[in-house]
Amino acid sequence: NPGPSFSHQCPFLQANSSMFRFGKKNKVGAEVGTKLESPTDQEVRDVTAFDEAFASMQLRVAQLEEEMGEIFHNDFKGGDEITVPKFVRNLRATFETRFVKLENMMKQVKSNLRENTEDMDRRNARKRARMLREQQGPASDSDDEGAEGTRGAAGPLALGDSGAKGKVGVSSKPKFSKAPAKQSINATADADKKIRFYVSNRPVVLYPPTNFKKPKDVNEKPDEKLQLDWVYGYRGFDCRANVVWNKDKELVYFAAGVGIVYSLLHHKQRYFMGHDDDIKCLAMHPDLDIVATGQLGRHPRFCVWSSSSMKLLFENNDFHRIEVSALSFNKKGDLLVTVGGDDFHRIGIFDWKRGIRIAEANRGDAYKIYAAKFNPYDNQLVSVGVKHIKFWTQDGKTLKGRNGIFGTVGIKQKIMCLDFPQAGHTLTGTYSGDIYLWEGNNCVRVFPKHHEGPIFGIDIQRSGNFFTSGTNAVLLWKHQGDMLYEMDGVKLDIRKLAHRSKTPELDGTPAIRALDVNNDDDIVVGLSTNEIYMQKKDSNKVMAVMQGHAEGELWGCDTHPEDPKRCVTASDDKSVRVWDLENHVMVKKSAVKSQGRAVAFHPSGGQFAVGRENGGVTIFSFPKMEKIHTMRDRKEWISELEYSPNGKYLAVGSHDNFIDIYDTERDFKRVGICKGHSSYITHVDWSKDGTRIQTNSGDYEILYWEMPSGTLQRYPAKERDTEWNTWSSVLGFPVQGIWPPGSDGTDVNNTARSNNGKLLATADDFGKVKIFRWPSVSTEQQFREYTGHCSHVTNVRWTCDDKYIISTGGHDTTVMQWKVRRPKA
């Protein structure tokens, strides 16, 4: 409960009065607005009370969300699970209901304030303009614009606004004003013109270039199109049993929202793009061609598709909630069992060929269910999970479950995986590393642990022998009656791969989360570090099939300025990786002491900088990947790096709100500090002559700085004709058309102008990679969009020859390579 009602704390709201704006000093020190309409002292106190109450509500909501987040969004590691009691679920529902009511009330309050202030703002604007003309005389409009202050935002300050010093009062919309649906952009903009653009209801002043003429094709889609060329990555950190062989000895797996079929023979990938959110589970049909995949989402979808033709055969999104967490076909392949990620882990059985659901269990279990499978010998359905094993029978359209009986033989614990050696028998792998043998629903034998940690996979072969995978290795077993015999020792030892697969943030050997063995006894495993390895029969040689960044967010990315075949990325897994974009492999990897958040190449390509989460910057040589320098002048994470066009200076933007300038020719001595932003730095771009930088910040400021001193340019209108060496900023006159309607200012994470200056690529929070014509100056401008990432897309970069776009996904940790297809002449 946020506390007492706002009307009780703030009588001003009961009166439905308006919020007012106050005058401020102009550049010559004269008071502006003293004769304008202004609120009474009581109204000021009421508005202050409103602001304090609203801030208190926001703080309390944030605290509640954090507390609820600790309960409902636990960090899943190695099968750990927190059960959600009924009283906690009721608390969440009550909290959500109250918050919705509170949110609706605030929307109404803002609407009332907006309506009541429009007339007063118009009257005050006319008076303020008249007073300015009287005080300043016949000064030019361009002079007034240049003095508008350090933040590029126009208009008088609303209550609670900061940074009023040095700004001339120019009329703008009130604090709670709604941004217009369409911005009016003149075909020709004179030197004394400016545009007030609204982002998150905040005005951003933009200055069109002198004699700017709107392109005739501004509202047309680009002629170029994108085609997904390669996906670097695999989701192994929170999934299991998601790498399998198909009938053509190709590997089927997923990353982000893409189903991938990889041909080892031809080193080619094919893609299934039928999902609109992150894929979480996978199952292979008995014919070794058809695949089922399930995803996250409010109404999560599961799809059945062919791994040879990549065509969709069946889909459903109206049964589960939160996620589809497990899938499995029966022996005939006509039935598909699905498990949901809701509080009760609903289970359904679908006749997917006919497109109908034939049975369901609305309450699978209160605990997390990891897997559900049909016994191929008797069609018995069994599910396993946290302290859970159930044996299901169908009664009409209802599934009825019998709990497994551990008795005195086994210990009730997390059951991680299962498979079936014969009718009526079930083998399960446990969190402790033991193997349990079940007859019916009774545990009859326990085979002590042979793995150092949980057993994540069991794969039984036609011969009756079976493989198990755990934290350290893959073992081969022989099953006779109620006995198991370990055969031939370790078949694949991950400990031997530790120097190749272990990432710096992991203290032990990565777990094998997926295991599959084909008819030739070739073994493929998926690791918790988002890597796939393969070992052929009777060979000790292990081949890396796919390597990607491990768990954490991926933000840092840059392409080589001269070599179109090289790209560097840095992520929260504390690794820096170099990718070969021609051969589609990772070629080098190095570690950094803390999470990597930004990457930038030197213009010569001989070095690159990595910005870290702890405020430090590490300089690597290229291509040797040797550390040549480290500096740390900030405490917050480094969010942006950019070298000057001649490579002499390096600009480093941080979440401390500063941009530090380093001289690369003087052992990276800091020669300037840009001070003036009131929020964290998001983007930095250098001018072509290297004498200026423009920066964006988290509160939608556009500032300009002289280099290398870091002196603030207090007349932003003077930069209207500056030519910029790169463009990565999300705010500015040439990129105002990239913002979708209703954007909150954080929806677009990055932009990249092509090297030929014809196209603009964007990365947004909706998992989209978009391309626009450059410049993007119309809110009606058309674009082309592409889906592959399903979490926020954090970065986009063009290769130096403009033939490819490289994009990075936040939580999906993938790097995607998009080929630019240009129309034939």
Side-chain angles (χ1 to χ4, degrees):
N1 188 347
S5 67
F6 289 138
S7 59
H8 174 72
Q9 298 184 33
C10 186
F12 171 61
L13 297 180
Q14 291 180 330
N16 197 25
S17 299
S18 61
M19 179 175 290
F20 298 92
R21 297 174 179 269
F22 300 102
K24 53 182 181 285
K25 293 184 178 181
N26 65 7
K27 62 181 181 181
V28 296
E31 185 67 14
V32 178
T34 54
K35 298 181 180 180
L36 306 180
E37 299 179 40
S38 58
T40 65
D41 292 341
Q42 180 59 43
E43 288 171 337
V44 171
R45 288 193 294 270
D46 288 338
V47 171
T48 303
F50 167 80
D51 280 349
E52 291 175 352
F54 188 47
S56 175
M57 182 274 291
Q58 289 180 315
L59 177 61
R60 180 55 181 154
V61 167
Q63 292 172 346
L64 288 173
E65 287 180 331
E66 182 177 355
E67 294 168 5
M68 301 304 288
E70 293 177 359
I71 298 175
F72 297 108
H73 302 290
N74 58 84
D75 188 16
F76 180 78
K77 298 285 186 182
D80 292 344
E81 180 70 15
I82 296 178
T83 305
V84 182
K86 183 176 180 180
F87 81 91
V88 178
R89 292 195 297 272
N90 293 339
L91 176 62
R92 177 173 61 180
T94 302
F95 167 73
E96 290 176 345
T97 301
R98 291 182 178 179
F99 184 76
V100 169
K101 291 181 179 179
L102 191 58
E103 191 174 36
N104 291 336
M105 186 189 78
M106 294 309 305
K107 289 180 180 178
Q108 185 60 44
V109 169
K110 292 179 181 180
S111 176
N112 294 339
L113 292 174
R114 180 171 60 251
E115 293 174 359
N116 292 333
T117 55
E118 287 178 349
D119 290 340
M120 180 174 291
D121 272 348
R122 282 194 291 269
R123 292 193 300 271
N124 285 348
R126 289 193 293 270
K127 294 180 181 179
R128 192 174 283 113
R130 185 170 60 252
M131 295 171 65
L132 283 173
R133 287 195 298 270
E134 294 173 355
Q135 294 174 2
Q136 297 177 357
S140 65
D141 291 340
S142 59
D143 289 340
D144 291 341
E145 291 171 12
E148 247 180 43
T150 64
R151 301 209 173 139
L157 294 179
L159 290 175
D161 279 358
S162 61
K165 294 182 180 180
K167 294 185 182 179
V168 171
V170 181
S171 174
S172 77
K173 291 202 172 185
K175 183 176 181 180
F176 291 127
S177 65
K178 184 177 180 181
K182 298 180 181 178
Q183 298 291 336
S184 175
I185 300 177
N186 297 328
T188 301
D190 298 329
D192 60 348
K193 296 295 184 181
K194 61 184 177 182
I195 293 173
R196 187 169 287 111
F197 184 77
Y198 287 83
V199 179
S200 289
N201 299 335
R202 286 195 60 169
V204 179
V205 177
L206 309 177
Y207 298 95
T210 305
N211 299 323
F212 171 76
K213 293 184 178 181
K214 184 168 64 175
K216 295 180 180 179
D217 57 359
V218 66
N219 291 329
E220 297 179 7
K221 290 184 178 181
D223 296 328
E224 294 81 356
K225 297 181 181 179
L226 300 185
Q227 177 182 338
L228 185 58
D229 187 65
W230 200 263
V231 178
Y232 303 87
Y234 152 74
R235 185 159 186 155
F237 66 89
D238 64 347
C239 298
R240 64 193 70 230
N242 60 341
V243 181
V244 295
W245 297 96
N246 71 1
K247 64 180 182 179
D248 298 319
K249 296 183 181 179
E250 298 173 317
L251 291 177
V252 183
Y253 60 99
F254 57 79
V258 183
I260 302 172
V261 179
Y262 171 62
S263 171
L264 291 163
L265 180 62
H266 301 100
H267 192 48
K268 299 286 185 181
Q269 289 182 345
R270 302 193 305 275
Y271 309 110
F272 174 73
M273 307 292 288
H275 289 279
D276 57 8
D277 211 328
D278 287 314
I279 303 176
K280 288 298 298 292
C281 58
L282 177 149
M284 177 60 75
H285 192 277
D287 69 1
L288 300 183
D289 175 46
I290 296 173
V291 180
T293 46
Q295 67 171 61
L296 295 167
R298 184 176 180 182
H299 298 282
R301 176 184 306 163
F302 62 90
C303 300
V304 180
W305 49 280
S306 168
S307 64
S308 56
S309 68
M310 310 306 290
K311 292 182 178 179
L312 177 67
L313 305 176
F314 170 74
E315 67 175 347
N316 177 281
N317 67 344
D318 62 0
F319 182 66
H320 291 297
R321 297 294 181 268
I322 311 299
E323 72 175 21
V324 180
S325 56
L327 295 162
S328 183
F329 290 97
N330 67 343
K331 183 178 181 180
K332 290 175 60 178
D334 59 334
L335 300 181
L336 176 68
V337 59
T338 66
V339 179
D342 57 279
D343 289 344
F344 300 107
H345 304 99
R346 196 178 185 190
I347 298 176
I349 297 178
F350 290 80
D351 184 334
W352 64 270
K353 291 184 178 180
R354 294 193 294 161
I356 60 173
R357 183 173 67 251
I358 63 173
E360 65 181 82
N362 286 327
R363 291 176 177 263
D365 201 82
Y367 293 94
K368 174 84 172 181
I369 296 178
Y370 294 144
K373 287 186 177 181
F374 292 98
N375 189 323
Y377 301 98
D378 56 16
N379 218 35
Q380 170 75 61
L381 177 62
V382 183
S383 63
V384 297
V386 178
K387 299 181 181 180
H388 161 90
I389 178 169
K390 278 189 178 181
F391 300 80
W392 300 88
T393 56
Q394 185 174 342
D395 183 7
K397 293 186 177 182
T398 303
L399 289 174
K400 295 183 177 181
R402 292 180 300 152
N403 289 318
I405 300 173
F406 291 84
T408 58
V409 178
I411 299 174
K412 195 171 185 179
Q413 59 176 303
K414 299 183 185 75
I415 308 297
M416 312 299 293
C417 57
L418 76 161
D419 212 339
F420 307 94
Q422 62 189 49
H425 287 68
T426 306
L427 285 173
T428 60
T430 67
Y431 186 76
S432 64
D434 300 328
I435 298 175
Y436 287 7
L437 176 64
W438 302 77
E439 289 184 2
N441 67 326
N442 293 289
C443 181
V444 296
R445 193 171 184 86
V446 175
F447 301 93
K449 57 184 177 181
H450 291 257
H451 290 278
E452 298 176 1
I455 298 176
F456 287 102
I458 298 178
D459 191 334
I460 297 181
Q461 303 297 290
R462 294 178 181 177
S463 63
N465 300 335
F466 66 94
F467 295 86
T468 60
S469 64
T471 301
N472 54 2
V474 174
L475 303 179
L476 176 62
W477 299 77
K478 182 178 181 180
H479 175 243
Q480 288 183 345
D482 61 351
M483 295 298 295
L484 297 179
Y485 303 94
E486 185 178 339
M487 299 173 58
D488 300 331
V490 176
K491 298 300 293 183
L492 190 154
D493 194 343
I494 294 299
R495 288 168 293 193
K496 296 179 180 179
L497 298 175
H499 68 285
R500 297 173 61 190
S501 61
K502 188 171 70 172
T503 48
E505 90 287 0
L506 298 174
D507 296 328
T509 304
I512 300 175
R513 301 298 296 263
L515 164 69
D516 196 31
V517 184
N518 64 16
N519 294 332
D520 294 334
D521 286 342
D522 297 333
I523 301 173
V524 63
V525 295
L527 306 186
S528 58
T529 49
N530 295 348
E531 298 171 296
I532 301 174
Y533 288 92
M534 176 196 139
Q535 179 176 287
K536 288 186 174 293
K537 181 182 179 181
D538 300 328
S539 173
N540 292 325
K541 184 178 180 181
V542 179
M543 180 179 68
V545 176
M546 175 55 64
Q547 293 176 291
H549 282 285
E551 182 180 7
E553 291 200 37
L554 172 58
W555 283 86
C557 177
D558 201 10
T559 52
H560 196 279
E562 296 181 353
D563 186 352
K565 298 180 294 184
R566 290 294 184 265
C567 170
V568 173
T569 57
S571 87
D572 286 357
D573 67 1
K574 302 178 185 177
S575 73
V576 181
R577 303 176 188 239
V578 180
W579 308 93
D580 184 332
L581 304 180
E582 182 179 45
N583 297 311
H584 302 132
V585 293
M586 186 190 78
V587 291
K588 285 192 177 181
K589 179 174 70 172
S590 183
V592 289
K593 292 183 178 180
S594 60
Q595 299 169 348
R597 285 300 179 97
V599 177
F601 263 108
H602 188 276
S604 68
Q607 66 176 237
F608 63 88
V610 177
R612 308 198 309 270
E613 182 269 341
N614 67 352
V617 178
T618 302
I619 311 298
F620 287 87
S621 65
F622 190 86
K624 292 184 178 181
M625 291 279 286
E626 296 175 347
K627 296 180 182 178
I628 59 178
H629 194 83
T630 299
M631 57 267 200
R632 185 186 176 191
D633 294 309
R634 296 297 165 200
K635 296 181 180 180
E636 298 293 332
W637 59 283
I638 304 302
S639 52
E640 186 70 2
L641 298 163
E642 195 68 36
Y643 283 91
S644 62
N646 61 5
K648 180 174 174 57
Y649 299 108
L650 173 64
V652 179
S654 74
H655 273 224
D656 284 340
N657 306 350
F658 300 109
I659 304 100
D660 296 304
I661 310 302
Y662 297 91
D663 191 330
T664 63
E665 298 177 355
R666 298 166 60 189
D667 199 26
F668 290 92
K669 179 181 179 181
R670 186 167 60 172
V671 294
I673 303 176
C674 303
K675 301 179 180 180
H677 276 294
S678 56
S679 186
Y680 58 91
I681 310 305
T682 59
H683 303 89
V684 175
D685 290 297
W686 285 82
S687 62
K688 282 191 174 182
D689 60 9
T691 63
R692 298 282 191 276
I693 64 170
Q694 68 169 348
T695 57
N696 291 174
S697 63
D699 58 350
Y700 325 126
E701 292 178 335
I702 308 174
L703 298 186
Y704 304 91
W705 314 84
E706 296 178 3
M707 292 291 106
S709 65
T711 303
L712 178 65
Q713 169 59 272
R714 296 187 177 275
Y715 299 92
K718 292 183 178 181
E719 305 296 338
R720 65 169 73 243
D721 293 321
T722 301
E723 294 186 21
W724 300 101
N725 187 54
T726 60
W727 193 285
S728 63
S729 300
V730 298
L731 298 174
F733 179 79
V735 295
Q736 56 189 302
I738 68 174
W739 292 93
S743 297
D744 70 354
T746 61
D747 290 338
V748 181
N749 295 313
N750 215 317
T751 69
R753 185 186 62 196
S754 61
N755 295 287
N756 62 15
K758 294 181 179 180
L759 295 174
L760 179 74
T762 67
D764 65 33
D765 273 355
F766 309 107
K768 308 289 187 184
V769 174
K770 297 178 181 178
I771 55 173
F772 298 77
R773 292 181 184 272
W774 175 271
S776 177
V777 295
S778 170
T779 55
E780 298 180 352
Q781 188 153 342
Q782 299 298 303
F783 54 86
R784 298 188 187 275
E785 66 177 26
Y786 301 89
T787 303
H789 300 286
C790 289
S791 64
H792 50 295
V793 185
T794 55
N795 215 328
V796 284
R797 287 291 186 268
W798 295 82
T799 55
C800 60
D801 58 3
D802 286 339
K803 291 184 178 180
Y804 294 95
I805 291 175
I806 309 301
S807 63
T808 56
H811 292 296
D812 63 43
T813 73
T814 58
V815 180
M816 293 192 183
Q817 181 175 334
W818 305 84
K819 185 175 183 178
V820 181
R821 297 171 53 195
R822 291 180 167 84
K824 295 181 181 180

